[in-house]
């Protein structure tokens, strides 16, 4: 009974640690892997790492809402900072205020995530908001450092490429799809949502495609959004 209560109380921390350990251990294994471009497993491994990178950012995002370690602000911020930093040296302290601006001013000129242009112009605007020269320099320095121990193809395939793909994934499912055509939305959050398919919602972006649900209840962690989707589907 006590163990069950502890698990319920610290579920967010346990899930965050699971993602961190999975990301680190799978990356370590793949950096040592004998790459074969003829093997489909190489490309599957890239997709797995992309999914884990996305998990890092979603965990950092949940930390911005205080739901990774509720009741322990210092630990919550530490986990968010760590996850953001491991994702191509994103700086949590820079992401935090911009994300809350997005929630307060969704789909307006004051929303740093919003752009009224096409997909590519929107992505360029989005990237410009969050990618800094310092990040690029740190990535370049780490790339050259990693070459001292690991093959170049492994570094590119499993460390660099997945972070780029995950950035597109997060933008497409978490920003572009739910907020495009915001002038057509009549709901108060100016956000659309994916159709109810929990498997696809998890694979595509850790349920973050259930975006109206997230804006409606930002205090729910990513792993509870599917429950909110079910509740709203029943009209409760």
């Amino acid at each position: 009974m006590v163990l069950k209560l502890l698990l319920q109380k610290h579920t967010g921390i346990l899930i965050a640690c699971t993602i961190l350990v999975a990301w680190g251990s799978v990356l370590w294994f793949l950096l040592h892997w004998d790459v074969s471009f003829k093997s489909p497993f190489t490309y599957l491994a890239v997709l797995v790492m992309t999914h884990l990178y996305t998990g890092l950012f979603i965990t950092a995002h949940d930390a911005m809402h205080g739901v990774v370690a509720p009741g322990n602000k210092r630990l919550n911020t530490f986990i968010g900072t760590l996850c953001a930093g491991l994702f191509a040296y994103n700086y949590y302290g820079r992401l935090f205020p911009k994300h809350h601006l997005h929630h307060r001013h969704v789909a307006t000129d004051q929303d740093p995530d919003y752009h009224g242009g096409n997909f590519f112009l929107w992505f360029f605007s989005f990237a410009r908001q969050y990618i800094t020269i310092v990040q690029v320099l740190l990535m370049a320095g780490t790339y050259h450092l990693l070459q001292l121990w690991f093959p170049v193809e492994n570094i590119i395939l499993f460390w660099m490429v997945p972070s780029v793909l995950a950035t597109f994934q997060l933008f497409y499912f978490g920003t572009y799809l739910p907020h495009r055509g915001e002038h057509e939305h009549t709901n108060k959050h100016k956000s659309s949502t994916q159709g109810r398919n929990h498997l696809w919602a998890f694979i595509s972006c850790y349920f973050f495609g259930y975006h109206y649900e997230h804006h409606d209840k930002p205090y729910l962690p990513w792993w509870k959004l599917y429950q909110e989707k079910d509740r709203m589907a029943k009209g409760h």
Side-chain angles (χ1 to χ4, degrees), residues 23 27 30-31 45-47 49-51 53-54 86-90 135-147 150-168:
W23 177 86
L27 178 60
L30 292 174
L31 286 175
V46 172
L47 294 178
M49 279 308 304
T50 299
H51 187 67
Y53 263 104
T54 301
L86 290 173
F87 192 126
Y89 294 105
N90 280 286
Q135 275 181 269
V136 174
L137 292 175
L138 286 171
M139 287 291 287
T142 304
Y143 169 75
H144 288 293
L145 189 63
L146 288 173
Q147 288 185 62
F150 307 111
V152 171
E153 58 267 26
N154 294 61
I155 299 169
I156 293 173
L157 279 173
F158 307 125
W159 182 68
M160 294 181 69
V161 170
S163 66
V164 174
L165 292 177
T167 300
F168 275 102

Side-chain angles (χ1 to χ4, degrees), residues 79-93:
I79 293 173
T81 302
L82 178 61
C83 288
L86 290 173
F87 192 126
Y89 294 105
N90 280 286
Y91 177 46
Y92 182 82

Side-chain angles (χ1 to χ4, degrees), residues 2-155:
V2 175
L3 179 60
K4 183 178 180 181
L5 290 173
L6 284 172
L7 288 174
Q8 289 176 345
K9 183 178 179 180
H10 300 297
T11 302
I13 298 171
L14 292 172
I15 290 176
C17 289
T18 299
I19 291 173
L20 280 164
V21 170
W23 177 86
S25 57
V26 173
L27 178 60
W28 181 257
F29 171 78
L30 292 174
L31 286 175
H32 291 86
W33 199 31
D34 186 16
V35 171
S36 170
F37 289 99
K38 295 181 180 179
S39 171
F41 291 106
T42 297
Y43 306 99
L44 178 61
V46 172
L47 294 178
V48 169
M49 279 308 304
T50 299
H51 187 67
L52 291 173
Y53 263 104
T54 301
L56 285 180
F57 195 89
I58 293 295
T59 302
H61 161 269
D62 272 8
M64 295 175 208
H65 289 285
V67 297
V68 172
N72 191 333
K73 186 176 180 179
R74 184 173 295 181
L75 179 59
N76 185 82
T77 300
F78 172 77
I79 293 173
T81 302
L82 178 61
C83 288
L86 290 173
F87 192 126
Y89 294 105
N90 280 286
Y91 177 46
Y92 182 82
R94 177 181 170 85
L95 298 174
F96 184 94
K98 287 181 178 289
H99 185 65
H100 285 279
L101 278 175
H102 166 66
H103 273 267
R104 286 197 297 270
H105 306 290
V106 61
T108 70
D109 291 341
Q110 294 175 281
D111 180 355
D113 292 0
Y114 180 72
H115 190 275
N118 61 36
F119 175 86
F120 296 102
L121 289 174
W122 194 334
F123 180 77
F124 177 75
S125 173
F126 179 84
R128 189 173 59 179
Q129 286 285 338
Y130 294 103
I131 298 175
T132 67
I133 295 297
V134 173
Q135 275 181 269
V136 174
L137 292 175
L138 286 171
M139 287 291 287
T142 304
Y143 169 75
H144 288 293
L145 189 63
L146 288 173
Q147 288 185 62
L148 298 175
W149 298 287
F150 307 111
V152 171
E153 58 267 26
N154 294 61
I155 299 169

Side-chain angles (χ1 to χ4, degrees), residues 196-212:
R196 185 170 168 270
N197 183 324
H198 296 333
L199 178 60
W200 172 240
F202 171 70
I203 292 172
S204 62
C205 205
Y206 290 75
F207 304 120
F208 209 53
Y210 294 158
H211 210 75
Y212 178 89

